[in-house]
Amino acid sequence: ITLENSNAKVIGNLIVNNQAKTKGAGIYIKGSSSYSPLLINNTIYNNKLMTSTDTDGSGIYVEGGASPVIKNS
């Protein structure tokens, strides 16, 4: 799931077994501090980055100042 410059609500999802090249295989959030997407009751597991040298959030990755609200995820 990619949320860019968004205040989206992501509720009640199973986010599993995804792959990404570099960042945020499960959820990738990018935006300024004026964006606060809401993540509620999501199960996020077994998401992987494709290269062994990357360490940038395989489950959830946030950049650019966005402030997600995460509850029970």
Side-chain angles (χ1 to χ4, degrees), residues 50-66:
M50 295 170 65
T51 59
S52 62
T53 59
D54 288 316
T55 57
D56 292 335
S58 58
I60 300 174
Y61 183 79
V62 180
E63 74 174 323

Side-chain angles (χ1 to χ4, degrees), residues 22-35:
T22 58
K23 301 173 184 172
I27 299 176
Y28 176 75
I29 299 170
K30 181 179 180 181
S32 69
S33 60
S34 60
Y35 294 101

Side-chain angles (χ1 to χ4, degrees):
I1 296 173
T2 298
L3 304 174
E4 189 166 345
N5 298 323
S6 174
N7 285 317
K9 296 177 182 176
V10 179
I11 302 171
N13 294 280
L14 179 61
I15 303 166
V16 61
N17 296 331
N18 296 291
Q19 292 185 348
K21 248 183 190 178
T22 58
K23 301 173 184 172
I27 299 176
Y28 176 75
I29 299 170
K30 181 179 180 181
S32 69
S33 60
S34 60
Y35 294 101
S36 296
L38 182 60
L39 308 175
I40 300 176
N41 294 331
N42 296 288
T43 300
I44 304 165
Y45 71 94
N46 203 35
N47 297 288
K48 299 177 182 177
L49 300 176
M50 295 170 65
T51 59
S52 62
T53 59
D54 288 316
T55 57
D56 292 335
S58 58
I60 300 174
Y61 183 79
V62 180
E63 74 174 323
S67 301
V69 176
I70 302 172
K71 297 179 181 180
N72 298 325
S73 289

